[in-house]
Amino acid sequence: MAMQLLLNLILAFVWMLLHDDGSASRFIAGYVLGAAILFALRRFWPGGFYLTKLWAVVKLLALFARELVASSFAVVRAVLSPKLDIRPGIFAYKTELSSDWEVTVLSCLICLTPGTLTLDVSPDGQTLYIHAMDIQDADELSRQIRGTFEKAIMEVTRP
Amino acid sequence: MSKLGELSIALLILIGALFCALSAFGLIRLPDVYLRSHAATKSATLGVLCVLAGVFLYFMFFLDQVSVKLLLGIAFVFVTSPIAGHLNGRAAYRQGVPLWDKSVRDDLQSALTEETQTGTQTLRPPPNEPESK
């Protein structure tokens, strides 16, 4: 991915040099053209075209923002409700993500989701212990995490 | 137009302040460390982010000054606050701070006792091979 980005920048600079014009608009035109060339040559790259991956990153950031808003409202509702009828607890969640980076992003995401907080990660990095504000059904919660967050992270990191 | 923009920015900052106040109220009201940590990480983060975003928009539209520092501040708060919440919770649990007595489930307890019995390291062993990028 970094390689493709570098190549795209180089193509943009070459476009600028070909026109003998160092303005920003020329650079942007060259960048778009370079992206089109890279897209046409996408089968030569092992990871595919890099802008699709960038789009996955943008989607992950949007997911972060949405979850932050949703979880804040959940917390405020729990705080303001007249009776404290929440049932907190800690449940273990087995993740399929392997590398340190992926597990870090996942635990940050979990910290920002409605009513969950990562307490600990097991030494092998495969199990996360999550404190949930309202454990109605731990399986339901972990299925939700697996369905949305893990999928979004895998879209970014896996080809 | 300018009136409407000013009003919406004021609303954004007000919402942020409200979220901060509610999370402070949550710190008083909720019964144990972990639940308080929920309130402190989520609502307070959103509140601070709303205030910073409101200030950024005000500077951009009314003072004609794009403040990159505010954007950086938003990014840093966004990245660091969940980690702070996680570390607080983890340190509290390892020090043996009890859960609220109405908690229903505790999977970490058994895992930790097993860990100390078998004598496995609590720290993660260093990886043998460098990770592939």
Side-chain angles (χ1 to χ4, degrees), chain A residues 40-52:
Chain A
L41 299 177
R42 64 189 177 281
R43 73 188 176 93
F44 295 106
W45 298 98
F49 185 49
Y50 80 101
L51 283 182
T52 53

Side-chain angles (χ1 to χ4, degrees), chain B residues 17-46:
Chain B
L18 200 65
F19 265 114
C20 285
L22 285 175
S23 83
F25 182 57
L27 281 184
I28 300 170
R29 170 119 199 260
L30 291 172
D32 74 353
V33 179
Y34 310 101
L35 287 167
R36 283 176 186 169
S37 172
H38 279 284
T41 45
K42 289 160 198 160
S43 313
T45 311
L46 186 68

Side-chain angles (χ1 to χ4, degrees), chain A residues 57-73 108-109 112-114 149, chain B residues 19 42 45-46 49-50 74 78:
Chain A
V57 172
V58 171
K59 272 200 292 193
L60 190 64
L61 285 179
L63 186 69
F64 253 104
R66 207 190 64 205
E67 290 302 324
L68 180 62
V69 173
S71 66
S72 299
F73 276 106
C108 279
L109 253 176
L112 291 180
T113 48
F149 303 147
Chain B
F19 265 114
K42 289 160 198 160
T45 311
L46 186 68
L49 289 188
C50 279
I74 289 175
F78 196 64

Side-chain angles (χ1 to χ4, degrees), chain B residues 6-68:
Chain B
E6 212 163 338
L7 198 70
S8 57
I9 286 170
L11 210 62
L12 196 63
I13 291 181
L14 192 67
I15 287 172
L18 200 65
F19 265 114
C20 285
L22 285 175
S23 83
F25 182 57
L27 281 184
I28 300 170
R29 170 119 199 260
L30 291 172
D32 74 353
V33 179
Y34 310 101
L35 287 167
R36 283 176 186 169
S37 172
H38 279 284
T41 45
K42 289 160 198 160
S43 313
T45 311
L46 186 68
V48 172
L49 289 188
C50 279
V51 171
L52 285 180
V55 173
F56 175 75
L57 289 178
Y58 183 77
F59 268 64
M60 193 162 81
F61 287 122
F62 292 93
L63 302 182
D64 288 329
Q65 185 184 357
V66 177
S67 167
V68 185

Side-chain angles (χ1 to χ4, degrees), chain A residues 87-91 130 132-138 141, chain B residues 104-105:
Chain A
R87 295 162 51 230
I90 299 172
F91 68 98
I130 300 171
M133 207 165 179
D134 205 348
I135 285 202
Q136 299 291 0
D137 184 7
L141 261 175
Chain B
V104 283
R105 191 168 162 184

